[in-house]
Amino acid sequence: MRHRIYWLLPDLASARRAMDELLLARIEHRHLHFHAREGTDLGSLHKASPLQSSDLVGSAQRGLCIGAALGAASGAIFAVSPMLAEASKPVLVGLLAASGALFGAWTASMIGASIPSRRLARFAPALAHGKILLMADVPHHRVREIEALLNASNPEADFEGHEPNVPAFP
């Protein structure tokens, strides 16, 4: 189980220093994600993927639920038709629900990929002013240790809290 720690760093040099400290503390590169305003060159820093920086996952989940509900509803409407055999009605409802779920998840994820993450909305003003957001996914038993390490090596950085449950994808 990992916790996601959020830190706002004032500049690129501070972000590189934080990354080096975390790598030396044996936090893997793949668990460090840096996010900045559009157009900022992060150089060798591990840039946050669309899974971390957009609303792709949340939108896909909502699209899946809505698509499944609409597909099941349309299947139920067709199921009351006297033209269908009684045995094929549950199959039709299931197929339309599954098709609706897949279509809903796909279309909503396409939209969600272009929408900034709701989890990161609180950092938008700081990012607009040129700060860099560090998202570090650390083991739950090392949260305090990593916070202390970053505080000592980057006194100019701002600790912005943590999430106790890191999402499976982002």
Side-chain angles (χ1 to χ4, degrees), residues 2-137:
R2 295 190 171 271
H3 287 239
R4 177 164 288 165
I5 300 174
Y6 294 104
W7 284 83
L8 277 173
L9 304 158
D11 54 26
L12 194 56
S14 181
R16 282 194 183 112
R17 193 168 49 254
M19 182 182 73
D20 291 342
E21 290 292 328
L22 290 170
L23 290 173
L24 288 172
R26 298 188 182 269
I27 302 297
E28 295 178 42
H29 190 259
R30 66 187 174 113
H31 294 298
L32 303 175
H33 316 286
F34 292 89
H35 184 59
R37 73 176 169 217
E38 190 74 30
T40 302
D41 181 22
L42 293 177
S44 63
L45 298 176
H46 186 236
K47 188 175 180 187
S49 74
L51 291 174
Q52 285 101 20
S53 62
S54 72
D55 199 30
L56 188 136
V57 174
S59 294
Q61 290 171 339
R62 287 185 295 279
L64 181 94
C65 293
I66 292 169
L70 290 175
S74 63
I77 290 170
F78 284 119
V80 296
S81 170
M83 297 170 42
L84 295 173
E86 222 32 62
S88 65
K89 290 180 181 182
V91 173
L92 177 68
V93 172
L95 284 175
L96 286 175
S99 299
L102 289 174
F103 183 73
W106 176 69
T107 56
S109 66
M110 294 295 115
I111 295 167
S114 64
I115 298 172
S117 173
R118 287 190 225 175
R119 291 175 186 261
L120 304 182
R122 65 185 169 139
F123 304 115
L127 295 176
H129 284 95
K131 292 197 175 188
I132 298 172
L133 176 67
L134 163 62
M135 297 175 275
D137 301 334

Side-chain angles (χ1 to χ4, degrees), residues 136-170:
D137 301 334
V138 299
H140 70 284
H141 65 277
R142 295 191 66 196
V143 170
R144 299 248 187 261
E145 170 197 347
I146 298 301
E147 286 176 18
L149 173 75
L150 286 173
N151 247 344
S153 66
N154 292 295
E156 72 282 359
D158 297 321
F159 174 66
E160 295 292 329
H162 63 89
E163 288 183 32
N165 298 317
V166 176
F169 289 109

